[in-house]
Amino acid sequence: MLRVGLTGGIGAGKSTVAAVLARAGATVIDADAIAREVVEPGTPGLAELAAEFGKSILSPDGTLDRPALAAVAFADESSRLRLNAILHPRIGARTQERIDAAPAGSIVVQDIPLLVEGSMGPLFHVVVVVDADEDTRVSRLVGSRGLDESDARARIAAQATGEQRRAVADVWLDNSGPAGALDHAVEQLWEHRLVPFARNLAAGDTARPDPKAAVAANADGAAGAARRLAQRLRVVLGADAAEVESRGADAGVEATVRPAAGATADSMAARMPGAGLVRAGASRFRSADPGAAAMVDVVG
């Protein structure tokens, strides 16, 4: 299974990209939709919220009054933490149910507005960021969502910056143009990068670099790719990796992993696909991603 993290600031057009990927064949899991599901009428989540914050958070028809909840749940840090303790485990469990239900070999796209703010980038094989210039985003929010300009700009300012999103992006899609202008690039991303990547992971094959797979690649180049690979390796290997070093090279990214006591390349092999890598030798692993060449050696 290939896991793709999809994110972008409010008004950037992330949902439009998700729709194109869904039409192409991706299994799209919408974090916002799941967050609504777990607090629908009759759910344990809504009952626990009402018990914790009072029945004033309920509308007359029994549904969640979100502004009323926000008024009490974000009043202070303690209330916010109690809210998260109720919602996050339920959202996580429902998300995992959806992932587990996806057929083998699927390309699962998780649409997560706060992926960057939640430091979730290393959990995915590929992170796709949808961006647009601020004036375009404000215009969309005013025109399609009925926000006034000051509110729109305040909401944009409250989210991650473009630089923060750029740091986690493997793919950067500029959606500042008119409706439909980005569709071809998304379709090319699907055909030339995501589908071959998923196929290679399933078969245990290393990738053949394909220039077409570099569509909308992040402009931060090999240095950024090296940093993101190191982060993925640290997450995937956990305590088995005593040290991870990575660097940009002529042919992509080169990295070394020094195993902790008792860990070996053999014991790490089953987890390397989580970082997009497949075995290419006794202690060597290579990328299955045709858009991001990488070689990792387990040494020492």
Side-chain angles (χ1 to χ4, degrees):
M1 177 182 294
L2 186 74
R3 292 185 63 183
V4 179
L6 174 64
T7 194
I10 185 171
K14 172 178 54 64
S15 297
T16 300
V17 172
V20 176
L21 291 170
R23 289 197 298 270
T27 297
V28 176
I29 300 174
D30 184 334
D32 279 349
I34 288 177
R36 291 190 295 270
E37 286 177 19
V38 300
V39 292
E40 288 178 346
T43 60
L46 183 59
E48 189 168 349
L49 284 178
E52 179 67 35
F53 295 106
K55 294 188 180 299
S56 63
I57 68 167
L58 300 177
S59 300
D61 63 358
T63 59
L64 179 63
D65 183 335
R66 294 182 181 278
L69 174 64
V72 294
F74 293 101
D76 53 51
E77 182 66 8
S78 174
S79 296
R80 187 185 66 82
L81 291 175
R82 297 202 309 274
L83 174 69
N84 289 344
I86 294 170
L87 295 184
H88 286 186
R90 289 179 166 83
I91 293 170
R94 183 68 61 86
T95 299
Q96 192 59 52
E97 288 176 5
R98 298 285 179 83
I99 293 171
D100 292 343
S106 295
I107 298 174
V108 175
V109 176
Q110 290 181 243
D111 179 343
I112 306 176
L114 300 181
L115 182 150
V116 175
E117 292 85 342
S119 302
M120 291 180 273
L123 302 177
F124 299 95
H125 293 104
V126 178
V127 173
V128 178
V129 173
V130 185
D131 192 49
D133 66 80
E134 183 171 325
D135 286 344
T136 297
R137 293 166 65 190
V138 169
S139 177
R140 290 171 181 164
L141 293 171
V142 171
S144 65
R145 301 197 192 182
L147 301 182
D148 61 46
E149 181 175 342
S150 61
D151 188 14
R153 292 192 185 278
R155 294 192 186 202
I156 289 171
Q159 294 185 329
T161 65
E163 290 75 15
Q164 290 169 324
R165 291 194 181 95
R166 178 75 72 174
V168 306
D170 300 293
V171 175
W172 186 268
L173 294 169
D174 187 341
N175 192 32
S176 298
L182 198 59
D183 289 8
H184 180 67
V186 178
E187 291 161 356
Q188 291 293 101
L189 171 67
W190 174 265
E191 179 181 354
H192 295 292
R193 186 168 186 177
L194 301 183
V195 170
F197 193 175
R199 184 170 58 240
N200 290 338
L201 273 183
D205 291 339
T206 58
R208 293 183 178 181
D210 180 357
K212 292 181 179 179
V215 60
N218 192 340
D220 64 356
R227 184 184 65 255
R228 289 187 289 275
L229 176 61
Q231 292 168 342
R232 287 184 172 111
L233 285 166
R234 293 186 185 104
V235 168
V236 166
L237 299 177
D240 280 355
E243 184 179 346
V244 177
E245 296 181 352
S246 63
R247 58 205 166 271
D250 291 341
V253 174
E254 295 178 356
T256 56
V257 176
R258 296 187 183 279
T264 65
D266 287 340
S267 67
M268 295 177 179
R271 282 174 286 165
M272 286 292 189
L277 302 161
V278 296
R279 202 158 195 171
S283 59
R284 175 164 289 178
F285 299 83
R286 290 187 181 275
S287 176
D289 181 355
M295 180 178 72
V296 177
D297 287 315
V298 179
V299 300

